[in-house]
Amino acid sequence: MPISLPFCPVYAINKGEETKNKHMDTLTSLLVVGFAALIHASFQLSVSVLTMLSSHTIGAKRSHAKLMRLTLSFIAGTKIMTLLLVSFLVLVLLDIFGTQIPQLVWACACGLLVGVGVAVWLFYYRREKGTSLWVPRSFARHLNERSKVTKTAAESFSLGLTGVISELLFIIGPVVITALVLIGLPSIWQLVGLVIYTVISTLSSLIVWGLIGSGHSLSRIQKWRENNKQFLRFAGGGGLLILGFFVYVNEVVFHIVGGGM
């Protein structure tokens, strides 16, 4: 008897039968989810807000323990919002298409990945010194002011939620592909895939948090980010193109070729 937990929003329940991808086995699907999460982790808006929060907390001469609590609450907010975002999209896609995703939807999702990948190359970082991102200057000032007045863990958690939503324009590609892949997995592996995506997608923030906690200065962290921003930009954009091509071949081309045989 298949196992299903109705309280978990990512479970695909199809009249008691498990579902699976036609052209991707479970391991391949989880690797796709992990790769999509790595691309998500390459985006830097949440990291930028995290470093601003840390800078303002240190500037206010708050204790190191307070700094770690605030930054950890921020990361918790990013994890929860990522979890909710993927789960919500899975529910929406299930409601619209059921467990059998049309090839046209896969093709559109792959096209979205390619479009976002090109946009990352062209627009993600501003053409100036430093690590200024694509966000409008008024919104960047708003995030800076929010991080400056954040004094409690609840406020920091809320800031983490906002950081994920603010970058939706770029993370929507890997999130959509992840949701489509999760729908095709057996029930228990859907939960595993969701955990994999949530953890890996926040890996960059976790690394920065660990560096701050171990005594590394923010100036050194910012210097590394500035020196490697071109690598992060081309890695993120190129990763989206590679992911789009791989999924297109597996879910669209193989279907067409298989249907013609």
Side-chain angles (χ1 to χ4, degrees), residues 126-176:
R126 290 180 176 271
R127 299 183 183 278
E128 57 189 52
K129 293 187 65 176
T131 56
S132 297
L133 301 179
W134 58 276
V135 294
R137 293 301 86 192
S138 59
F139 187 66
R141 288 192 294 270
H142 169 72
L143 290 175
N144 185 47
E145 291 300 319
R146 278 284 310 276
S147 62
K148 185 182 296 185
V149 300
T150 296
K151 299 178 181 178
T152 67
E155 292 173 336
S156 183
F157 182 87
S158 175
L159 189 61
L161 300 177
T162 303
V164 174
I165 294 299
S166 301
E167 194 142 63
L168 189 59
L169 184 64
F170 286 96
I171 66 174
I172 189 62
V175 167
V176 167

Side-chain angles (χ1 to χ4, degrees), residues 36-37 39-41 43 81-82 84-90 92-93 105 108-117 119-120 124 134 163-181 197 201 240 243:
I39 297 171
H40 185 150
F43 298 137
M81 181 53 72
T82 301
L84 292 175
L85 184 61
V86 177
S87 300
F88 174 74
L89 191 54
V90 168
V92 171
L93 291 172
V105 176
C108 290
C110 294
L112 177 63
L113 287 176
V114 173
V116 174
V120 169
Y124 192 72
W134 58 276
V164 174
I165 294 299
S166 301
E167 194 142 63
L168 189 59
L169 184 64
F170 286 96
I171 66 174
I172 189 62
V175 167
V176 167
I177 285 296
T178 296
L180 290 172
V181 172
Y197 189 89
S201 64
L240 287 167
L243 182 61

Side-chain angles (χ1 to χ4, degrees), residues 39 52 79 84 208:
I39 297 171
M52 284 192 297
K79 285 182 179 293
L84 292 175
V208 171

Side-chain angles (χ1 to χ4, degrees), residues 170-205:
F170 286 96
I171 66 174
I172 189 62
V175 167
V176 167
I177 285 296
T178 296
L180 290 172
V181 172
L182 288 179
I183 289 173
L185 285 172
S187 297
I188 189 62
W189 291 108
Q190 291 178 347
L191 183 58
V192 173
L194 183 59
V195 171
I196 289 174
Y197 189 89
T198 302
V199 172
I200 296 179
S201 64
T202 55
L203 195 58
S204 55
S205 296

Side-chain angles (χ1 to χ4, degrees), residues 11 24 32 58-59 61 125 130 164 171 187 196 203 214 227 237 253:
Y11 281 121
M24 287 192 285
V32 168
I58 294 172
K61 301 188 183 303
Y125 286 99
V164 174
I171 66 174
S187 297
I196 289 174
L203 195 58
S214 61
N227 291 339
V253 175

Side-chain angles (χ1 to χ4, degrees), residues 2-261:
I3 300 174
S4 61
L5 298 179
F7 61 85
C8 181
V10 298
Y11 281 121
I13 304 173
N14 185 21
K15 296 181 180 179
E17 296 183 357
E18 301 286 1
T19 59
K20 61 182 180 179
N21 286 334
K22 180 175 288 188
H23 300 297
M24 287 192 285
D25 57 23
T26 298
L27 178 59
T28 303
S29 297
L30 292 177
L31 289 174
V32 168
V33 170
F35 187 57
L38 277 177
I39 297 171
H40 185 150
S42 72
F43 298 137
Q44 294 291 296
L45 183 58
S46 291
V47 174
S48 294
V49 179
L50 179 62
T51 55
M52 284 192 297
L53 174 63
S54 302
S55 176
H56 293 315
T57 303
I58 294 172
K61 301 188 183 303
R62 299 189 181 103
S63 67
H64 185 73
K66 179 73 170 180
L67 169 65
M68 299 311 292
R69 284 197 300 272
L70 289 178
T71 50
L72 188 59
S73 295
F74 175 88
I75 294 173
T78 64
K79 285 182 179 293
I80 293 299
M81 181 53 72
T82 301
L83 179 73
L84 292 175
L85 184 61
V86 177
S87 300
F88 174 74
L89 191 54
V90 168
L91 281 176
V92 171
L93 291 172
L94 276 173
D95 186 60
I96 296 174
F97 302 110
T99 57
Q100 300 300 318
I101 305 298
Q103 269 59 53
L104 179 61
V105 176
W106 283 107
C108 290
C110 294
L112 177 63
L113 287 176
V114 173
V116 174
V118 173
V120 169
W121 282 347
L122 296 177
F123 308 118
Y124 192 72
Y125 286 99
R126 290 180 176 271
R127 299 183 183 278
E128 57 189 52
K129 293 187 65 176
T131 56
S132 297
L133 301 179
W134 58 276
V135 294
R137 293 301 86 192
S138 59
F139 187 66
R141 288 192 294 270
H142 169 72
L143 290 175
N144 185 47
E145 291 300 319
R146 278 284 310 276
S147 62
K148 185 182 296 185
V149 300
T150 296
K151 299 178 181 178
T152 67
E155 292 173 336
S156 183
F157 182 87
S158 175
L159 189 61
L161 300 177
T162 303
V164 174
I165 294 299
S166 301
E167 194 142 63
L168 189 59
L169 184 64
F170 286 96
I171 66 174
I172 189 62
V175 167
V176 167
I177 285 296
T178 296
L180 290 172
V181 172
L182 288 179
I183 289 173
L185 285 172
S187 297
I188 189 62
W189 291 108
Q190 291 178 347
L191 183 58
V192 173
L194 183 59
V195 171
I196 289 174
Y197 189 89
T198 302
V199 172
I200 296 179
S201 64
T202 55
L203 195 58
S204 55
S205 296
L206 284 171
I207 291 173
V208 171
W209 180 78
L211 290 172
I212 294 172
S214 61
H216 288 76
S217 66
L218 285 175
S219 59
R220 290 184 61 185
I221 296 173
Q222 284 294 92
K223 185 66 175 177
W224 186 92
R225 292 180 61 218
E226 182 175 354
N227 291 339
N228 293 276
K229 69 177 184 179
Q230 297 302 332
F231 167 77
L232 292 172
R233 180 176 67 177
F234 281 100
L240 287 167
L241 295 179
I242 292 170
L243 182 61
F245 176 78
F246 178 82
V247 174
Y248 185 81
V249 169
N250 276 272
E251 295 298 334
V252 180
V253 175
F254 280 2
H255 177 81
I256 294 175
V257 173
M261 293 178 61

